[in-house]
Amino acid sequence: MRISTKMNAAINAQIGMELASSNQYLNTAAYFAGRALRKLAEFFFKQSDEEREHALRLIRYLNDMDGTVEIPAIGAARSSFDSAEEAIQLAYDSEVKITASINALMEQAIEERDFATQEMLRWFVNEQVEEVSTMDDMLKIARQVGERNIIMVEAYLVHEEV
Ligand code: FEO
């Protein structure tokens, strides 16, 4: 194994977090699909795929480093929401949490002078800037239009092609 046991465990925990996020976005997409808000559903299905890709990226890295992949137990994702804003708020909060977790991994990699892991994590650091920003925009739009006019978010998504 070319990374520390501690780093290996922390990356496995991160894989769990990315997969939990992928599952949550599937539920969130289904929630929007159930409300016939197709663009919002499409947006979250796409986000779910991206989260799975993030998990795969970490799995491939552990394989490359001769580490051990141990996917942790993943809790149930939330499936019902009182409003679109609540569903999007959950996504925003989750991205903020994932960012903090990536930053903690980076701190650990720096502490361990693990340059390969630092290099691998740099991609995630940049990706999180984009992901938090995207969810922040979505949340701002949802708040501005309000639940009664949430259909307008669909038009926003067609226009922005996010
Ligand atoms: Fe994989 Fe949205 O963080």
Side-chain angles (χ1 to χ4, degrees), residues 4-94:
S4 73
T5 307
K6 190 177 168 194
M7 183 58 77
N8 193 143
I11 293 175
N12 273 320
Q14 187 67 36
I15 292 169
M17 215 169 174
E18 303 290 345
L19 291 173
S21 175
S22 177
N23 284 354
Q24 182 56 60
Y25 289 159
L26 279 182
N27 260 1
T28 304
Y31 161 77
F32 283 120
R35 293 184 60 184
L37 295 166
R38 286 188 197 171
K39 285 286 164 193
L40 272 162
E42 204 179 287
F43 170 79
F44 278 100
F45 277 126
K46 194 171 134 241
Q47 292 296 317
S48 172
D49 286 346
E50 280 189 21
E51 297 303 342
R52 187 169 181 280
E53 264 307 313
H54 297 169
L56 285 174
R57 193 178 265 263
L58 293 166
I59 288 169
R60 286 190 205 107
Y61 180 70
L62 282 182
N63 284 337
D64 285 348
M65 298 303 279
D66 197 26
T68 310
V69 174
E70 284 171 327
I71 296 172
I74 293 163
R78 197 163 144 198
S79 55
S80 65
F81 304 95
D82 289 335
S83 63
E85 184 186 325
E86 195 182 36
I88 297 167
Q89 178 78 55
L90 182 73
Y92 172 80
D93 292 345
S94 160

Side-chain angles (χ1 to χ4, degrees), residues 18 51 54 95 98 128 131:
E18 303 290 345
E51 297 303 342
H54 297 169
E95 291 303 340
I98 290 174
Q128 282 312 118
E131 299 236 309

Side-chain angles (χ1 to χ4, degrees), residues 102-160:
I102 293 289
N103 289 346
L105 279 178
M106 183 63 104
E107 265 181 51
Q108 194 182 320
I110 290 168
E111 208 173 282
E112 291 186 17
R113 295 179 60 78
D114 177 346
F115 300 113
T117 302
Q118 287 176 40
E119 206 48 44
M120 180 277 289
L121 288 172
R122 243 177 277 286
W123 182 90
F124 282 90
V125 170
N126 290 325
E127 176 72 2
Q128 282 312 118
V129 171
E130 193 200 308
E131 299 236 309
V132 172
S133 165
T134 302
M135 289 305 174
D136 189 35
D137 284 355
M138 290 288 291
L139 191 54
K140 282 175 183 156
I141 299 289
R143 280 184 185 149
Q144 283 174 73
V145 302
E147 191 64 7
R148 275 167 60 89
N149 298 313
I150 201 67
I151 193 76
M152 285 172 69
V153 177
E154 297 280 291
Y156 165 76
L157 286 171
V158 170
H159 183 66
E160 291 292 313

